[in-house]
Amino acid sequence: MDSVAFEDVAVNFTQEEWALLGPSQKSLYRNVMQETIRNLDCIEVIHVKLKMIVNVEKLLARFQIVL
């Protein structure tokens, strides 16, 4: 699985583009970007937990421990 970075999913506006957005569009942008950050955080937590599970399973198999 390839890693996903914030830069891969972020939408970046130039100052000129940002100035053209209305207040509701800026608010929507902030909300979407906050949700994106939360989703990426969740994916990272899941990825770390899966890696831990695999490592524990390898350790259990190495020492022939059956749960």
Side-chain angles (χ1 to χ4, degrees), residues 20-31:
L20 295 174
L21 298 177
S24 62
Q25 292 168 312
K26 290 178 180 178
S27 177
L28 175 61
Y29 171 82
R30 287 186 186 102
N31 292 340

Side-chain angles (χ1 to χ4, degrees), residues 5-13 18 25-41:
F6 180 75
E7 293 78 20
D8 296 330
V9 294
V11 175
N12 295 307
F13 292 103
W18 185 255
Q25 292 168 312
K26 290 178 180 178
S27 177
L28 175 61
Y29 171 82
R30 287 186 186 102
N31 292 340
V32 169
M33 295 312 295
Q34 287 173 346
E35 183 177 353
T36 299
I37 291 168
R38 285 192 300 270
N39 290 338
L40 289 174
D41 285 344

Side-chain angles (χ1 to χ4, degrees), residues 6 10 13 16-17 21-22 27 31-33 40 43 48 52 54 60 64 67:
F6 180 75
F13 292 103
E16 293 81 16
E17 292 169 329
L21 298 177
S27 177
N31 292 340
V32 169
M33 295 312 295
L40 289 174
I43 290 169
V48 169
M52 288 174 52
V54 168
L60 294 174
Q64 297 177 343
L67 296 178

